[in-house]
Amino acid sequence: MAYFPMFVSLENRACLIVGGGRVASRKCRGLLAFGAEVTMVAEWFAETKDGAMQEPGLNRIRRRVREADLAAQDWALVIAATNDRQVNQQVAAYCRKQGIPVNVADCREECDFFFPAYCVEGAVVAGIGTSGISPKMASAIRKRLESALPEWIAELEKEGMENG
């Protein structure tokens, strides 16, 4: 069954990412771009091509995740993106028990939500999802959609604000 598409505000909301590799870093950049306050907990962190990922709104904790990390605050969402299946499974189980939406990078069936491929032009955000079945297909569709979005959308947004 397809997932319901929903847009939510993450501005200044606490999000936890368990893991520090390439997948975790990609998801982190997406959350930060939408104003989330992100905490990453991992024993190691992948370095980006620009060096260590240090962004405003990002707190990195270098150690193994603990259950206390999951209970530490009212997380808007949690992402389990380690290379350890058992850790990801434990994070998902805890989140389910606590009613925290969770995305599990290595197990589609344990996900409460998926990250869409998205494009942004001004206030217009288009998300493409495949219910986790084919992220590559979603990315290909995003590229086509991105090239089709008119550059003048930002101008319409300004006009709408002035007239509304």
Side-chain angles (χ1 to χ4, degrees):
M1 177 182 289
Y3 278 64
F4 179 76
M6 183 172 85
F7 290 84
V8 298
S9 173
L10 291 178
E11 191 167 355
N12 300 316
R13 304 259 333 259
C15 299
L16 175 66
I17 299 176
V18 180
R22 198 174 39 86
V23 172
S25 295
R26 185 178 72 244
K27 292 179 186 253
C28 179
R29 283 190 298 275
L31 294 174
L32 290 171
F34 285 89
E37 297 290 325
V38 179
T39 298
M40 293 179 82
V41 178
E43 293 181 70
W44 62 272
F45 293 96
E47 301 304 318
T48 63
K49 56 185 162 188
D50 301 331
M53 190 166 65
Q54 293 297 326
E55 303 278 340
L58 173 61
N59 178 31
R60 295 190 333 169
I61 300 169
R62 189 179 301 271
R63 63 170 164 69
R64 190 168 180 84
V65 68
R66 302 174 186 148
E67 190 170 314
D69 296 323
L70 296 163
Q73 51 183 303
D74 186 19
W75 301 111
L77 58 87
V78 172
I79 298 161
T82 73
N83 60 0
D84 185 327
R85 173 90 278 275
Q86 187 176 5
V87 169
N88 290 347
Q89 196 171 35
Q90 289 170 338
V91 168
Y94 179 86
C95 289
R96 282 238 165 60
K97 196 164 94 173
Q98 300 302 316
I100 303 167
V102 64
N103 174 275
V104 184
D106 66 349
C107 185
R108 182 177 163 268
E109 293 76 26
E110 293 178 358
C111 291
D112 293 323
F113 68 94
F114 296 102
F115 280 75
Y118 63 86
C119 50
V120 180
E121 186 66 47
V124 174
V125 179
I128 299 95
T130 61
S131 298
I133 295 169
S134 180
K136 284 186 178 186
M137 180 177 26
S139 181
I141 293 168
R142 175 196 53 82
K143 287 176 185 172
R144 289 191 67 183
L145 181 59
E146 212 167 41
S147 66
L149 285 176
E151 294 176 13
W152 43 262
I153 287 177
E155 291 302 315
L156 284 179
E157 181 182 336
K158 286 180 193 174
E159 287 178 24
M161 292 173 130
E162 292 169 1
N163 296 330

